Amino acid sequence: MDLIERMKSQEGKFTESELAVARYIAGHPMDVVGNTVSKVSELSGLSAATIVRMCQRMGYSGFSEFRFEMDRQLLSNGTQEEGGASEGGLLSRFVNINVVQLRKVAEAVDASLLNHVAASLCNAPHVAVWGVDRMYERALQLSAGLMHAGIFNSVTNDTTVMDDVASILGKGDVCVVISQKGRDYDAYALLMDAIRENGGEVFFVTVNARSQFISHASNAIVLPSIMNGRRSDLADAQLTIYMYLEILLDEVAYLQSKAEGANDETSAPDGGANPRPEKEER
């Protein structure tokens, strides 16, 4: 029995206000996906406290656990919309799946670490991007995005080249290592240690929180593994890491535009004729 069916079967246990919550969610399951309890309260016109109580009445610790279960079911079974097998229904389901995954990745991103990685990439004398096997596709994605931003870098999946690059990178240089399961290439540990010993930074991107390489990186970006029952874990990791790298490239572009604006301001006549707003919105 899925979550919505269980809600309907337990309607007799709900108070009148909790019943209103259950019926709203049953009719608008996608409103739960990726939203906070405050947002669902705003969308439904029902109080956040009542929404939480309804979730607890069903045996969940609170709204977050309930939302996770709703996300999982929508990803594995498709949305509750009619016409799921139609062309429009399939397209809607595909979009919803990716919306859920993007929100999960975005929620997992540490904003301060994201900013640090982007700033390091912008300021590094030399940048290297590594990925072996299928993760080489993600390495190429990051490399191409950095090139487009005017940041020259080397990208490789050749372990012999990695060994050579590790001996060259020094103070201020950056190496981004992308690994799905965090156990692709045993020598990563030695190479990452060598780069750090020479004054470089190593950023390790993975979906495996137990990877042996995490301790060898300057910083590790551990992304959520989003399994949905129909996609392979490889496809899952590819999409998750793809989304993070796009977010990172967007942060790089933001920092570059901010720096360009500051340069324009300092070079303007009369000490700065191009004032910027006191608080810049992103």
Side-chain angles (χ1 to χ4, degrees):
M1 183 182 297
D2 69 22
L3 185 54
I4 291 179
E5 289 176 344
R6 283 203 297 116
M7 277 196 303
K8 292 179 178 179
S9 70
Q10 295 181 33
E11 286 186 352
K13 299 179 181 179
F14 298 145
T15 65
E16 185 175 343
S17 56
E18 291 168 354
L19 181 60
V21 171
R23 289 177 174 172
Y24 178 84
I25 291 175
H28 308 82
M30 288 307 300
D31 283 359
V32 174
V33 176
N35 283 325
T36 63
V37 66
S38 298
K39 183 63 176 179
V40 176
S41 173
E42 177 186 334
L43 292 170
S44 65
L46 302 165
S47 77
T50 303
I51 295 171
V52 172
R53 283 200 303 271
M54 192 282 297
C55 297
Q56 293 173 335
R57 187 85 66 184
M58 290 191 63
Y60 296 96
S61 60
F63 176 76
S64 294
E65 186 178 1
F66 176 88
R67 181 184 63 181
F68 179 84
E69 180 65 15
M70 179 68 78
D71 288 355
R72 187 189 66 80
Q73 289 195 11
L74 291 178
L75 285 171
S76 61
N77 301 322
T79 68
Q80 304 297 320
E81 300 172 4
E82 294 182 1
S86 67
E87 183 178 351
L90 289 174
L91 177 60
S92 177
R93 177 180 177 276
F94 177 79
V95 171
N96 289 331
I97 284 173
N98 286 279
V99 166
V100 171
Q101 291 181 315
L102 177 57
R103 283 175 172 164
K104 286 184 180 293
V105 172
E107 288 176 357
V109 171
D110 181 318
S112 61
L113 178 55
L114 176 73
N115 181 268
H116 174 66
V117 176
S120 295
L121 289 169
C122 289
N123 298 323
H126 303 96
V127 174
V129 185
W130 297 350
V132 299
D133 298 329
R134 297 289 180 88
M135 288 299 107
Y136 183 51
E137 296 177 18
R138 301 284 64 82
L140 289 172
Q141 172 197 351
L142 177 59
S143 175
L146 292 174
M147 287 288 195
H148 184 72
I151 300 175
F152 182 79
N153 64 90
S154 65
V155 58
T156 188
N157 62 350
D158 188 317
T159 54
T160 301
V161 173
M162 290 178 189
D163 187 67
D164 292 337
V165 171
S167 66
I168 296 172
L169 295 181
K171 186 175 181 180
D173 294 334
V174 169
C175 181
V176 180
V177 181
I178 305 171
S179 172
Q180 176 198 357
K181 296 182 178 179
R183 53 176 184 267
D184 308 277
Y185 177 49
D186 289 340
Y188 269 156
L190 293 174
L191 299 182
M192 292 162 74
D193 286 344
I195 294 171
R196 294 177 64 193
E197 288 172 4
N198 290 333
E201 280 191 285
V202 180
F203 299 114
F204 182 62
V205 182
T206 186
V207 295
N208 181 8
R210 299 181 179 180
S211 171
Q212 61 177 313
F213 302 128
I214 289 177
S215 62
H216 297 274
S218 306
N219 292 100
I221 298 91
V222 181
L223 301 169
S225 180
I226 311 167
M227 300 303 297
N228 59 37
R230 294 190 180 187
R231 302 169 68 90
S232 69
D233 62 343
L234 175 60
D236 171 67
Q238 285 271 4
L239 182 56
T240 300
I241 294 174
Y242 174 90
M243 289 176 172
Y244 171 77
L245 295 179
E246 288 301 303
I247 294 171
L248 174 59
L249 289 169
D250 182 70
E251 183 72 6
V252 167
Y254 168 71
L255 292 181
Q256 287 183 327
S257 64
K258 191 175 180 180
E260 290 171 1
N263 290 336
D264 290 343
E265 186 172 306
T266 56
S267 61
D270 301 324
N274 299 318
R276 292 172 62 81
E278 293 183 3
K279 183 177 181 181
E280 181 177 3
E281 294 185 359
R282 295 181 55 186

